[in-house]
Amino acid sequence: MKVLIWVFVTLMSLAAFSDSDKERKDDRKEDKKELRGHPVPLSVFDVIPLNSPVKESVAKFLLKVPNGFEIDEVKYKIQNANHRFEKETSHQKINLVNGPQGKELQIPISKLSPGFYKLYVKVIDRKKKEHNYHSRFRDHAKFAIDQSLEVKMPDPKINNATLLGVDSDNDGIRDDVQRWINENFSSMPDVKIALKQYAVDVESSFLTASDKQASILSSLETLKAQECFSDVARESGMTSREIINNRKKVDAIYMNTRERIEAELKADE
């Protein structure tokens, strides 16, 4: 009888160890699955980055919810992944946009520097119940702003307070102009370089406006840069209308204050 009891206890123990081992294997599989790609959501909804690393002025995320789940309101906040001890910001409302795959969060990121970020999302359903996004390992979705964007959009008040504005990396192009070129021509590197050269020469015209001889030389360099941009853009498949419009857009960004317009008019004289 004692032998039978011993055998029964042993078999039960082996079964328990087997179940425990199976659970550990399942957990490891789940962990590997999560580490391989997008994390498995544990929240009622999922947030999936669509264009990370972001090269445009908007970061896009697919918001997936189960059938029958009705959304009343969506809120988000962003934190720089490298600034762990920065002051916490509050969530702000955002409207969802209909995209090809479903409802999208489209978040403006022009004022953010290139780098890695955390996106916290909160959904309020029709019953006014709050749901926060989280997965097994984190309570946020991750995304990156491409380093090719180089700079963030400067504060307009600071940027427009002086003739030359903000040029944080001292490359001869005002940051708002530089950011616009990077966002709109990230897939056309040759065009981007040619348009930046044109932007450098436009900005130099402000500096030489009071010196007639220097202003003439500066104007000649601007014309050369303009022709270079047109040739490169045409070879890249851009139409004449697009070439003119993009050049005018750079001019318009530069000539956005009275002081800058007056400097341009003086250079033209």
Side-chain angles (χ1 to χ4, degrees), residues 50-61 80 82 107 109-117 142-153 169 178-189 192 196:
L50 295 176
N51 63 338
S52 179
V54 185
K55 295 184 179 182
E56 302 84 32
S57 59
V58 175
K60 300 178 181 180
F61 303 85
N80 190 314
N82 295 323
I107 301 172
I109 51 87
S110 286
K111 293 184 179 180
L112 300 177
S113 300
F116 295 92
Y117 289 85
K142 296 195 297 185
F143 73 100
I145 299 176
D146 198 279
Q147 295 292 335
S148 67
L149 296 181
E150 300 172 322
V151 293
K152 67 177 181 179
M153 289 289 279
D169 55 0
Q178 183 177 349
R179 180 70 180 233
W180 183 85
I181 293 172
N182 287 337
E183 287 175 351
N184 287 277
F185 300 96
S186 60
S187 61
M188 305 173 76
K192 182 169 70 173
K196 281 186 176 182

Side-chain angles (χ1 to χ4, degrees):
M1 186 66 179
K2 289 182 179 180
V3 172
L4 289 173
I5 292 171
W6 179 81
V7 170
F8 178 74
V9 171
T10 302
L11 289 172
M12 290 295 290
S13 299
L14 288 172
F17 280 126
S18 177
D19 288 343
S20 177
D21 186 54
K22 183 176 183 299
E23 288 175 2
R24 283 196 295 271
K25 286 181 179 177
D26 288 343
D27 285 343
R28 283 197 294 270
K29 284 181 181 178
E30 199 63 35
D31 290 347
K32 286 180 180 177
K33 181 181 178 183
E34 188 158 10
L35 290 171
R36 269 202 308 270
H38 180 69
V40 178
L42 297 181
S43 51
V44 70
F45 64 94
D46 196 5
V47 178
I48 303 172
L50 295 176
N51 63 338
S52 179
V54 185
K55 295 184 179 182
E56 302 84 32
S57 59
V58 175
K60 300 178 181 180
F61 303 85
L62 180 65
L63 186 68
K64 292 185 69 176
V65 298
N67 291 332
F69 184 88
E70 295 186 4
I71 298 173
D72 184 60
E73 193 175 290
V74 180
K75 297 181 178 181
Y76 79 95
K77 68 177 181 178
I78 292 175
Q79 182 182 11
N80 190 314
N82 295 323
H83 300 169
R84 296 183 180 181
F85 304 108
E86 69 180 3
K87 186 178 179 181
E88 285 284 332
T89 58
S90 57
H91 285 77
Q92 54 185 308
K93 293 181 183 179
I94 186 170
N95 293 322
L96 295 175
V97 177
N98 290 319
Q101 300 180 57
K103 297 292 185 181
E104 292 182 8
L105 293 169
Q106 295 191 0
I107 301 172
I109 51 87
S110 286
K111 293 184 179 180
L112 300 177
S113 300
F116 295 92
Y117 289 85
K118 300 176 182 179
L119 173 70
Y120 298 85
V121 180
K122 180 186 296 184
V123 168
I124 296 92
D125 63 24
R126 294 292 185 186
K127 297 178 180 179
K128 302 302 179 183
K129 183 179 179 181
E130 288 189 354
H131 306 269
N132 290 287
Y133 171 75
H134 68 104
S135 64
R136 182 187 295 273
F137 297 120
R138 52 182 183 261
D139 60 353
H140 59 272
K142 296 195 297 185
F143 73 100
I145 299 176
D146 198 279
Q147 295 292 335
S148 67
L149 296 181
E150 300 172 322
V151 293
K152 67 177 181 179
M153 289 289 279
D155 180 278
K157 288 185 178 180
I158 298 174
N159 192 43
N160 295 334
T162 59
L163 177 64
L164 297 181
V166 177
D167 179 11
S168 60
D169 55 0
N170 296 311
D171 64 346
I173 309 173
R174 214 171 68 208
D175 282 359
D176 55 339
V177 179
Q178 183 177 349
R179 180 70 180 233
W180 183 85
I181 293 172
N182 287 337
E183 287 175 351
N184 287 277
F185 300 96
S186 60
S187 61
M188 305 173 76
D190 292 341
V191 174
K192 182 169 70 173
I193 291 171
L195 193 54
K196 281 186 176 182
Q197 180 56 56
Y198 173 73
V200 168
D201 290 322
V202 170
E203 186 156 317
S204 70
S205 67
F206 294 156
L207 297 171
T208 58
S210 298
D211 185 326
K212 183 176 180 179
Q213 192 60 36
S215 187
I216 291 170
L217 293 174
S218 178
S219 295
L220 290 172
E221 290 302 315
T222 303
L223 288 172
K224 289 178 185 177
Q226 178 178 315
E227 189 63 28
C228 175
F229 165 65
S230 297
D231 289 343
V232 172
R234 198 174 292 111
E235 289 175 3
S236 299
M238 199 177 289
T239 66
S240 297
R241 174 65 63 183
E242 290 171 332
I243 292 169
I244 293 170
N245 287 343
N246 283 309
R247 195 181 71 243
K248 284 184 175 180
K249 178 62 177 179
V250 170
D251 292 340
I253 299 173
Y254 265 122
M255 316 302 171
N256 68 332
T257 66
R258 183 184 181 90
E259 184 182 15
R260 290 164 183 165
I261 292 171
E262 288 177 348
E264 175 64 15
L265 290 173
K266 191 170 184 179
D268 282 346
E269 288 177 4

